[in-house]
Amino acid sequence: MTDTNNSAGTATLTYGDKSVEMPVLSGSTGPDVIDIRKLYAATDAFTYDPGFTSTAACESAITFIDGDKGTLLHRGYPIGQLAAQSNFVEVCHLLLHGELPTAEQYEKFERSITMHTMLHAQFDRFFEGFRRDAHPMAIMVGTVGALSAFYHDSLDIHDARQREISAIRLIAKMPTIAARAYKYHIGQPFVSPRNDLNYAENFLRMCFAVPAEDYVVNPVMAKAMDRIFTLHADHEQNASTSTVRLAGSSGANPFACIAAGIACLWGPSHGGANEEALTMLKEIGTPDKIPEFIEGVKAKKYKLMGFGHRVYKNYDPRATVMKESADEVLAAVGDPNDPLFQVAKELERIALNDEYFIERKLFPNVDFYSGITLSAMGFPTSMFTVLFSLARTVGWIAQWQEMIGDPTQKIGRPRQLYTGPTERDYVPIQNRG
Ligand code: SDX
């Protein structure tokens, strides 16, 4: 990545007796950026943007979101088309390499993932150290970071081949680790991956097969699982991706960076919202309780989980597809009249017609319907964010590769507005009041 953006003129900032002219850069689409990199040197002042609501932290060519239109593009392809016509492994190739693979490239790429799904035999002993009732996300944070203790031959971030191997290893091993976190949590024996199953089929079998009988993958479940992975694959510079980039900017190895991303995703305002959204629907219970719940939201007692988004000020396009998946899965393996799905659809209908939500541009996001689908598939709520982290690993690693591959990349080091005590002398304890 270099600064070959199309210049869109300049912006002038007047500060005291200083006037600073800064270049304005244009990307291929979306808002221009005002390049403020020389601002501090010219004015001795910082910009101030906690939460980065008006800040572009990097240049990227991977994913584009238009929050007002509710569009999401991966390397230019709309998420609705990818969810309908592609599959997760192909989307992984697209995110990592920038183009949809040819048939030959796809076969080679899928084979490379399949051949890396197993874990080092010693790795399984990690799980024994956790309590059985440990939250699966706690297990994920701990075990994914530990991968760097096993794969020393792919830790040199300056070697493109090693970067590629660590990317394949992470994409391939996350389902095996996630399934083990689930099996350990429920006290069942681990199930090894199979090379004759595709990515989603393998994961479902590792989660739900038991030694006592053969496991036959339900094709509706496999298609829904694959599509859910695709919907969660990447999402521009969200909190966990920014965490991975910042960790990677120090030169930390990719396994440690992905573990940092998992930790950030766990938060209820981010990836943890899918678990919270289903808990919320269960607490509401029946459609007649919705008006009372909405009043509590307006009184700011709690948030409507699975609603709202920092970027989308329109319907999250992923929520549209997720709602379709919920319909299909409930019809195939669940209850088509699932009361929670009825509550969710009625809650959406009421919220989308209520001025409080309309004026704040609050719409369902990817997490609103995912819990209903995953629950019908047999996953406990504690596994919902684990599945999100499994799918998002490819987005994190693609963004990490893009950053590390940028020769102009520097360590991320934000500054601050300091409001603490100014300099003062130490007071010995006997002289303190
Ligand atoms: C994900 O960034 C990404 O791309 C994330 C993600 C990805 O793929 O990586 O899309 C995944 O994290 C989706 C979001 C999942 N989180 C939730 O569903 C939790 C509930 N949502 C909220 O916490 C909230 O909407 C955020 C955190 C998602 C966004 O918050 P912002 O952008 O900081 O917005 P805000 O808090 O400033 O809200 C603006 C107003 C406020 O009201 P006022 O102070 O103006 O009166 O809207 C209100 C908020 O109180 N508001 C909500 C609300 N979300 C915002 N009110 C009720 N319910 C909500 N869900």
Side-chain angles (χ1 to χ4, degrees):
M1 309 286 279
T2 57
D3 287 344
T4 57
N5 301 284
N6 304 325
S7 171
T10 60
T12 303
L13 179 138
T14 303
Y15 171 63
D17 59 355
K18 299 185 180 76
S19 177
V20 187
E21 195 168 9
M22 296 165 286
V24 176
L25 309 175
S26 291
S28 45
T29 184
D32 288 345
V33 298
I34 300 172
D35 184 346
I36 59 165
R37 281 177 285 188
K38 294 184 172 49
L39 180 73
Y40 178 52
T43 65
D44 204 27
F46 299 134
T47 58
Y48 185 64
D49 186 16
F52 310 123
T53 51
S54 299
T55 295
C58 66
E59 176 183 333
S60 180
I62 298 172
T63 291
F64 177 73
I65 301 168
D66 184 322
D68 294 329
K69 294 180 185 164
T71 56
L72 167 58
L73 307 178
H74 288 318
R75 303 286 191 178
Y77 295 100
I79 189 63
Q81 292 184 28
L82 292 172
Q85 302 175 56
S86 184
N87 66 53
F88 181 65
V89 167
E90 186 174 76
V91 169
C92 287
H93 185 283
L94 176 66
L95 291 170
L96 288 172
H97 300 294
E99 295 297 340
L100 292 169
T102 61
E104 184 185 353
Q105 288 169 333
Y106 179 84
E107 187 181 345
K108 182 168 179 266
F109 182 72
E110 184 185 42
R111 182 79 182 148
S112 68
I113 290 172
T114 301
M115 300 313 289
H116 284 86
T117 50
M118 288 180 67
L119 291 167
H120 188 292
Q122 197 72 11
F123 195 89
D124 277 358
R125 297 183 58 190
F126 259 111
F127 297 91
E128 301 301 322
F130 293 100
R131 285 173 41 164
R132 287 284 179 176
D133 62 352
H135 193 290
M137 278 300 280
I139 296 178
M140 293 300 290
V141 172
T143 51
V144 172
L147 286 171
S148 41
F150 285 81
Y151 298 106
H152 301 113
D153 64 341
S154 61
L155 296 182
D156 179 358
I157 62 168
H158 302 296
D159 178 334
R161 178 69 188 128
Q162 291 192 38
R163 292 203 299 269
E164 185 183 2
I165 292 170
S166 56
I168 293 293
R169 278 177 165 152
L170 279 158
I171 294 166
K173 297 181 195 302
M174 280 299 274
T176 311
I177 294 172
R180 271 154 164 69
Y182 172 56
K183 284 300 200 186
Y184 186 75
H185 188 59
I186 63 175
Q188 286 188 0
F190 294 157
V191 176
S192 293
R194 297 253 320 227
N195 292 350
D196 58 344
L197 297 176
N198 69 32
Y199 196 85
E201 292 168 344
N202 226 343
F203 176 64
L204 290 172
R205 183 178 169 278
M206 288 191 282
C207 287
F208 298 126
V210 289
E213 58 186 30
D214 290 340
Y215 178 80
V216 179
V217 180
N218 180 317
V220 174
M221 288 252 287
K223 179 187 169 198
M225 190 79 267
D226 188 87
R227 189 160 46 186
I228 288 168
F229 288 159
T230 295
L231 293 176
H232 289 83
D234 189 49
H235 212 240
E236 203 203 71
Q237 306 310 319
N238 57 85
S240 53
T241 297
S242 299
T243 301
V244 170
R245 279 182 173 259
L246 197 55
S249 75
S250 75
N253 74 70
F255 304 107
C257 294
I258 298 304
I262 294 172
C264 176
L265 186 75
W266 195 0
S269 289
H270 191 13
N274 53 18
E275 183 175 348
E276 299 291 327
L278 193 74
T279 302
M280 172 190 76
L281 293 174
K282 287 177 179 172
E283 283 168 4
I284 294 172
T286 52
D288 62 301
K289 297 284 188 358
I290 292 174
E292 179 189 357
F293 177 82
I294 292 278
E295 287 314 305
V297 173
K298 292 179 180 178
K300 296 192 183 284
K301 289 179 184 169
Y302 37 74
K303 294 211 168 179
L304 182 51
M305 300 312 281
F307 256 70
H309 199 277
R310 171 60 55 78
V311 178
Y312 288 122
K313 300 311 172 188
N314 201 324
Y315 211 102
D316 183 336
R318 300 168 298 174
T320 306
V321 181
M322 189 62 76
K323 190 175 177 181
E324 292 163 8
S325 276
D327 262 329
E328 286 174 19
V329 169
L330 288 171
V333 297
D335 170 4
N337 300 308
D338 181 320
L340 290 182
F341 195 35
Q342 304 314 317
V343 169
K345 288 191 282 190
E346 179 63 5
L347 184 55
E348 174 189 346
R349 187 191 66 77
I350 292 172
L352 293 185
N353 290 284
D354 185 303
E355 199 47 45
Y356 181 88
F357 298 90
I358 293 169
E359 70 183 56
R360 290 170 177 78
K361 297 184 178 179
L362 301 176
F363 292 85
N365 60 50
V366 68
D367 293 312
F368 189 61
Y369 287 105
S370 57
I372 293 165
T373 310
L374 295 172
S375 184
M377 292 171 75
F379 293 104
T381 51
S382 61
M383 278 294 289
F384 291 179
T385 311
V386 171
L387 301 181
F388 195 149
S389 69
L390 186 168
R392 185 54 58 87
T393 294
V394 63
W396 288 331
I397 205 71
Q399 299 271 352
W400 173 82
Q401 284 193 334
E402 182 178 68
M403 177 193 70
I404 294 295
D406 176 358
T408 66
Q409 179 263 326
K410 294 176 185 291
I411 187 169
R413 196 339 184 152
R415 301 303 301 273
Q416 63 182 8
L417 172 67
Y418 178 69
T419 55
T422 53
E423 186 171 350
R424 55 182 170 167
D425 294 329
Y426 179 80
V427 177
I429 192 165
Q430 64 271 18
N431 298 340
R432 293 171 206 160

